[in-house]
């Protein structure tokens, strides 16, 4: 199942992408992609099965695609410095060493835009914009301190994301840094086109 949010003339509308078009998620009992995610694992296959034979609401391409979940209930969590080759590229303060524990940061919903959106760069805020292609995970079942062997029980799906960064903001004032600030400017989180 491929889930999208389209920028329809009357407001955002959620849908399921099929080869022949997009089925309105509202016709399947959910007004938003988030509503479906929050409905739980017992509901997900029912919606997927119903979408296979439901009528098409729009053609793919009729409307621009927004971030699949335009306004999630929480910030997105991300892990930085998690690829040795990227760390070795030098996108870090001089003398920094690879961290022994994960570096976490968040991106707020105000950074999320659709996969084909233009990223507007405020040149008063930054002159050093960088980007990293990512695979994002959508959590569908809440949990805390989930053991690694149970992690997949909590995953709803995946989507592509672009982690845009204002490097001079992110790496300001060593030895401290401002990862959240440097990665959270408006529009600095293109994602999509859909959740799979």
């Amino acid at each position: 199942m491929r889930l999208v949010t389209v920028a329809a003339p009357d407001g955002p509308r959620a849908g399921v992408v099929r080869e022949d078009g997009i089925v309105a998620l509202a016709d399947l009992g959910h007004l938003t992609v988030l509503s479906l995610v929050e409905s739980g694992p017992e509901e997900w296959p029912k919606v997927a099965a119903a979408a296979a034979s439901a009528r098409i609401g729009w053609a793919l391409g009729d409307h621009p695609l927004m971030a699949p979940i335009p306004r999630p209930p929480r910030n997105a969590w991300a892990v930085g410095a998690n690829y040795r080759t990227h760390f070795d590229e030098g996108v870090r303060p001089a003398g920094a060493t690879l961290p022994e524990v994960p570096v976490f940061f968040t991106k707020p919903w105000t950074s999320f835009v659709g996969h084909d959106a233009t990223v507007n760069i405020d040149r008063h805020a930054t002159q050093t914009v960088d980007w990293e292609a990512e695979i994002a995970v959508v959590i569908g079942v809440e949990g805390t301190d989930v053991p690694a062997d149970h992690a997949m029980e909590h995953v709803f799906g995946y989507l592509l994301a672009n982690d845009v960064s204002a490097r001079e903001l992110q790496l300001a004032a060593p030895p401290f840094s401002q990862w959240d600030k440097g990665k959270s400017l408006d529009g600095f989180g293109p994602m999509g086109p859909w959740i799979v």
Side-chain angles (χ1 to χ4, degrees), residues 18-20 46 51 83 88 93 153 171:
R18 290 194 333 216
E19 296 303 320
D20 55 344
K46 294 175 188 173
Y83 290 98
D88 289 342
E153 297 167 16
L171 303 175

Side-chain angles (χ1 to χ4, degrees), residues 90-113:
V91 183
R92 63 190 185 288
T97 59
L98 189 66
E100 293 186 25
V101 295
V103 176
F104 290 98
F105 63 92
T106 69
K107 287 177 105 66
W109 69 267
T110 53
S111 67
F112 302 148
V113 294

Side-chain angles (χ1 to χ4, degrees), residues 5-14 22 57-59 61-66:
T5 297
V6 300
D10 57 345
R13 297 290 177 257
I22 300 174
W58 313 280
D62 277 357
H63 308 294
L65 298 180
M66 302 170 65

Side-chain angles (χ1 to χ4, degrees), residues 102-190:
V103 176
F104 290 98
F105 63 92
T106 69
K107 287 177 105 66
W109 69 267
T110 53
S111 67
F112 302 148
V113 294
H115 80 287
D116 204 22
T118 298
V119 175
N120 294 310
I121 299 169
D122 179 353
R123 292 297 181 188
H124 295 290
T126 181
Q127 295 294 316
T128 56
V129 176
D130 196 3
W131 58 273
E132 301 166 64
E134 308 284 357
I135 295 177
V137 179
V138 177
I139 302 300
V141 177
E142 291 184 13
T144 302
D145 297 325
V146 176
D149 58 339
H150 290 278
M152 297 308 295
E153 297 167 16
H154 296 262
V155 173
F156 174 80
Y158 305 91
L159 69 154
L160 300 177
N162 195 331
D163 175 21
V164 181
S165 304
R167 294 294 187 202
E168 81 273 28
L169 296 176
Q170 175 191 353
L171 303 175
F176 304 104
S177 60
Q178 301 294 327
W179 283 60
D180 283 354
K181 176 67 173 172
K183 293 175 168 286
S184 295
L185 298 179
D186 290 353
F188 271 31

Side-chain angles (χ1 to χ4, degrees), residues 75-90:
N75 286 6
W77 282 94
V79 179
N82 55 342
Y83 290 98
R84 179 69 199 224
T85 53
H86 181 57
F87 184 83
D88 289 342
E89 289 175 340

